[in-house]
Amino acid sequence: MKKCLMFITAAALMCCSFSSCEGKAKGKDAVAQDGNDYEEALKECFNASFGLNGGKIFYSYMYPDEIIDKMKADGSYDTFVKSYNEQQSMRPDLTDGVYEFERITASKEINEKQENAVKEYFLSLCTDYFPGMKKDDFTVGKGYEVSYSYLKNGQPDGKDTVLVISLNDQGWKIIAS
């Protein structure tokens, strides 16, 4: 599972190399997350990662809204979502069974060191395009280190740990560890 999430994250990060971060402009095209709490957010992101046509949901949980807005502004967002969705239909792990989020096995609030790392992570997504950005431009609300288990074809298949954080009043963001 970790390898799959790392592959997805790496592929998505490549997409970011074609975009940049700039001031947030909330528009009518912003993707609304359905998760009202971190557990629902994690389930929704997991389902988008292990289902078809989950590109918009995936991007909304993985990237600051500034990146999504920039991709929409430069016309690349729809292409990236389409590519993500097409790649999902070719993933071997999605064609050999049905994956389901099972349950959260552990959860704890992130500590100051993890919060700092979260800010550094999101800064790294934007800094090449906006050298003046600082990690203090990112506000972490609630944040949790969450371990969870998942099923394949109704049977236990694995466990993973992620950070689920509230970023800049943009909703939940998920960082695979």
Side-chain angles (χ1 to χ4, degrees):
M1 172 68 184
K2 284 185 180 181
K3 288 182 182 179
C4 291
L5 285 175
M6 290 177 79
F7 173 77
I8 292 168
T9 303
L13 285 173
M14 287 179 23
C15 296
C16 288
S17 67
F18 300 108
S19 63
S20 63
C21 296
E22 58 187 26
K24 169 97 178 96
K26 291 190 184 237
K28 62 184 177 211
D29 294 332
V31 174
Q33 297 176 7
D34 291 335
N36 292 321
D37 62 38
Y38 74 93
E39 184 174 352
E40 289 302 313
L42 180 55
K43 286 179 187 178
E44 185 177 37
C45 185
F46 179 90
N47 290 335
S49 297
F50 283 90
L52 300 177
N53 299 316
K56 287 183 180 182
I57 294 169
F58 173 82
Y59 277 104
S60 74
Y61 281 111
M62 294 296 179
Y63 297 104
D65 291 352
E66 296 87 351
I67 289 176
I68 294 171
D69 291 344
K70 180 62 178 163
M71 285 192 286
K72 286 179 180 180
D74 71 16
S76 62
Y77 179 75
D78 289 336
T79 302
F80 289 134
V81 168
K82 180 180 177 187
S83 176
Y84 176 89
N85 290 340
E86 288 172 352
Q87 289 174 3
Q88 290 298 89
S89 66
M90 295 183 284
R91 280 180 50 193
D93 61 323
L94 293 180
T95 59
D96 71 347
V98 176
Y99 289 84
E100 300 172 70
F101 182 92
E102 182 181 27
R103 66 184 173 89
I104 289 179
T105 58
S107 175
K108 65 180 181 178
E109 288 190 28
I110 62 171
N111 59 38
E112 189 175 322
K113 184 178 178 181
Q114 289 169 309
E115 182 176 332
N116 237 0
V118 164
K119 290 179 178 184
E120 290 289 342
Y121 170 77
F122 285 113
L123 178 63
S124 73
L125 295 178
C126 300
T127 195
D128 287 343
Y129 300 95
F130 292 91
M133 285 191 87
K134 300 175 191 81
K135 69 180 181 180
D136 292 334
D137 293 333
F138 299 99
T139 303
V140 175
K142 294 180 181 180
Y144 303 94
E145 181 179 344
V146 181
S147 296
Y148 67 94
S149 59
Y150 55 94
L151 307 171
K152 177 180 174 184
N153 298 326
Q155 299 298 314
D157 192 57
K159 298 176 183 178
D160 206 349
T161 300
V162 296
L163 296 180
V164 183
I165 57 103
S166 173
L167 181 71
N168 291 356
D169 296 325
Q170 297 176 9
W172 296 103
K173 304 298 178 188
I174 297 175
I175 302 171
S177 51

